[in-house]
Amino acid sequence: MLPRLSPPQLAFNRQDIIMSILRSLTLLLIALVSVLSLPASAQEDDPGKALLNNLAEVPASRVEEAINAIVSSGDERARGWLEAYGNNRLSRIDDTGQVVIVLNNRGRDWEIANPLTGENMGEMSRRELDRIAINNRIRGQLEGILAMLDLNATDPDVREASAQDMMGKVDASLVEPLEAQLEREENASVRNRIEEALAIYRVGEGNLEAVDVLAGSLHPRARAALNEAVRSDNPALADKAEQALASIEQKLKLNRAAETLYFGLSLGSVLVLAAIGLAITFGVMGVINMAHGELIMLGAYTTWGMQQLLPGQPGLALIFSIPAGFLVAATAGIIIERSVIQFLKGRPLETLLATFGISLILQQLVRTVISPQNRTVVTPEWMSGSLVINDALSLTLNRLYVLAFALIVFAALMMIMRKTRLGLEVRAVTQNRAMARSMGIRATRVDIMTFALGSGVAGLAGVALSQLTNVGPNLGQNYIIDSFMVVVFGGVGNLWGTLIAGLSLGTINQLLEPWAGAVLAKIIVLVFIILFIQKRPKGLFPQKGRAAEG
Amino acid sequence: MWLTRPLRERSTQIFLGVLFAALAIVTFLHVAMPEDSALYVSAYTVTLLGKYLCYALLAVAVDLVWGYLGILSLGHGAFFAIGGYAMGMYLMRQIGDRGTYGDPILPDFMVFLNWQELPWYWLGFDMAWFAFIMVLLAPGLLALVFGFLAFRSRVTGVYLSIITQALTFALMLAFFRNEMGFGGNNGLTDFRDILGFNLRTDATRLGLFIATGIALAIGYVICRGIVTSKLGRVSIACRDAEARARFLGYRVDRVQLFVFVVSAMLAGVAGALYVPQVGIINPSEFSPLFSIEVVVWVALGGRATLYGAVIGAVLVNYAKTVFTGVMPDAWLFALGGLFVLVTVFLPKGIAGLLASRRKGKQDEQDTPTAPSTTEATA
């Protein structure tokens, strides 16, 4: 009863590929020619015209054949035509017999378009138009046909999406073509989808084996079908469906746990990024820099500025912002070190106050020079969207990138501190300044370099944060307390401690959030750290040996 | 007696003399001068000065722990705010059925949130004596628990500063929550009267101003008494050489705890006097920025002098009033600049400047000198 569909694109043998290339070349040529002011003759040659005319002319009994012809032509425009047909928007001009698509059928004059070229043909009185009739039976089948049409698309993502669309919508008429489709389909994930779509229908029919297929699916429609089956009169089916549901629930739990872990690690990576620069300046050098948050803010604003300089190229701007953010923040850090901090050596509480003053000045500077309002930083296309693992779990890409970025920054810092001359000198100066100086290390220079490094990393954090949160004058303020908590919790002077502390605090926060709410979770974490510091004042991983004596 | 000793001291006498003279002059100018006179002090100004005096008391409390104990508390705003909330709860209960919703017991915000009955921690706040005791007890208790944990495990220096800041930050987040039962974001406001006096009359305002002045005087004398007593000397020893004091057999943690709790209570009183004068208490008083601002008042006035804290608090807040009126954008620049300038160029504050002027005379008795900055924080 329904048209057999035999689309050409699905078997990817060489001939077909050549054919399809040829066809697209022809289409291109046609399009080109039609642009070159020969529209009439080009349209005469368009096979679509014959197909549409056929659809318009055949008697109701043979409409299916006409639709079949359109579908099996493999024409890319077929979907638009059939959609218009289903919506009563395919009409014929009385005089010329030309088939047109009605764009707007309100009022007396209808706006129409050429179905072959898509070109808008202006308005025409509705009296001059003759609607191409469609009966309800055909209309009911059209939805399935359209979905089947998408199942033949070249792009596997489109095929998968359309198969997913079909889940729960399969009726008796679609079973046979879907099975045929399954034979031809080579992409595993599309096959899965089609099998699931079929299984949902079969479970509804009381098929026991289909329950097994659905047991492996995490899609909500599969669960809905199983829930239906549990309530069915067939005890065997209900029993089996119940088991399947239980196993799905198990898997869902696992996926939810994975999702929480992911969000926790993501939040943790933000904390690590914000705190890691502080771990250098505070942890290694012992300088309390309350303006650290504002250095992060400068990095974020650098990203914004870079995007203003390179409009329309957010991705490129973001990549340029990484070195730029580092340099801007590092320069600011050097200025702060030279103008204030060097005079307060050995007076940590005074340093705290002075740098807090600097943070106020920087905030107000941004408010005055740029704006007190938040700025929008565009997320480049390759960073938006999400990585779909399965129906229940998808990871947002921007967070994934930030997580990776945090780990890279951490690894790079670790390398610098462990393997380079600068790292060696920094450790020497912090452990015994006088001794290091008498060994010929220029302590002042090391101070500047270390502070610049820590500040630069704060700038990098800002670049990353600009992709996750609002960029505004208060950006830094929101992170300063958290950053200090992470460094102190992890153990001052210990980069590994900072990494572990950041990731675990982020995860704890996310674990608490579902039942405590965001604010309460944060309060609990803060109180936890306060109590923890009482118990172990030197943090998770206290420094040992010579380094601890300083 | 440790409390009367300061009264025989020259510096305390001068301080009290200046303070009471100021109170008397303001009162006289407010009451006796005709309103159109240039010398007339309006009720607005009286309340503003009262606010400064509250801040001054808070600054004295901070100076007690920072100047004489070496603990840089970045969370004293929390004690100030808790004292303020205790007073606010009393004032809320005094509104009675005159609120917008007319509920005789529940404050407006609770009616608004559909609360059926008063939470247990609100009970008793309709009685003034209970509320005034809580003004001292609530901040004192928090300081006791927090200090007990912190000092017992010898958390000092920068670490202590950072966790006090975390404490006030956590409390701010907590008080922002509606579920806490303290009015959430909006805090407590719309007060009517205190001890039966209408809060909106000039006379009550003047009374509160004078009460604040007296509280400041008492607070000053108490602090002065502590720092000149034997306990105060031990506390200074803890500040300058904590380990050495411990080895000499002093229970450093107990000294720290005692001074810290007293300071928190003073801060609570300051908050309690502040609330009826400004007419509102909300969680923004918990903000870390406010607490750290208090420290800079003390730093500007001169650490470990007590009277310096008063000078700093009044000066900075006067500047803030002027700046925010004339050019609001410049205030944070000025405040930030103040932080930097004071720490880099004026490590001993204004009091230090004054002291170096009279160096030749050297008639000071046993005033403990300001800590040499390097030692104090080591």
Side-chain angles (χ1 to χ4, degrees), chain A residues 295-311 313-330 376-380 382-383 405 409 455-467 471:
Chain A
L295 294 172
I296 297 178
M297 174 192 76
L298 283 185
Y301 271 99
T302 308
T303 316
W304 172 76
M306 213 32 120
Q307 290 194 343
Q308 302 303 304
L309 285 179
L310 294 169
Q313 302 238 11
L316 200 63
L318 189 63
I319 288 168
F320 282 150
S321 319
I322 294 176
F326 184 90
L327 287 179
V328 167
T376 351
V377 172
V378 186
T379 305
W382 45 269
M383 266 186 84
F405 185 68
V409 169
S455 309
V457 172
L460 291 182
V463 174
L465 276 179
S466 72
Q467 294 302 313
V471 176

Side-chain angles (χ1 to χ4, degrees), chain B residues 148-167:
Chain B
F148 174 75
L149 291 169
F151 301 136
R152 194 194 48 167
S153 17
R154 301 184 191 173
V155 182
T156 49
V158 180
Y159 292 88
L160 191 65
S161 302
I162 291 171
I163 60 171
T164 50
Q165 189 172 37
L167 172 80

Side-chain angles (χ1 to χ4, degrees), chain A residues 25 29 48 56 69 136 194 198 230 248 258 296 300 319 365 378 396 463 485:
Chain A
L25 278 179
L29 208 63
N136 281 336
I194 298 178
L198 280 170
V230 169
I248 288 179
I296 297 178
I319 288 168
L365 201 66
V378 186
T396 38
V463 174
M485 290 290 123

Side-chain angles (χ1 to χ4, degrees), chain B residues 228-248:
Chain B
T228 50
S229 67
K230 182 163 175 282
L231 178 81
R233 286 165 192 280
V234 178
S235 137
I236 290 167
C238 297
R239 175 193 76 188
D240 290 342
E242 187 179 327
R244 204 175 298 178
R246 190 175 289 123
F247 297 149
L248 285 172

Side-chain angles (χ1 to χ4, degrees), chain B residues 91-132:
Chain B
L91 296 176
M92 256 348 229
R93 296 295 302 271
Q94 290 301 302
I95 297 174
D97 57 4
R98 287 170 292 175
T100 316
Y101 295 106
D103 192 298
I105 293 177
L106 292 186
D108 276 350
F109 72 89
M110 287 191 193
V111 181
F112 183 75
L113 291 173
N114 272 327
W115 289 35
Q116 294 310 318
E117 56 182 13
L118 218 54
W120 58 268
Y121 45 82
W122 273 78
L123 296 176
F125 275 93
D126 49 338
M127 294 169 286
W129 63 268
F130 181 81
F132 293 167

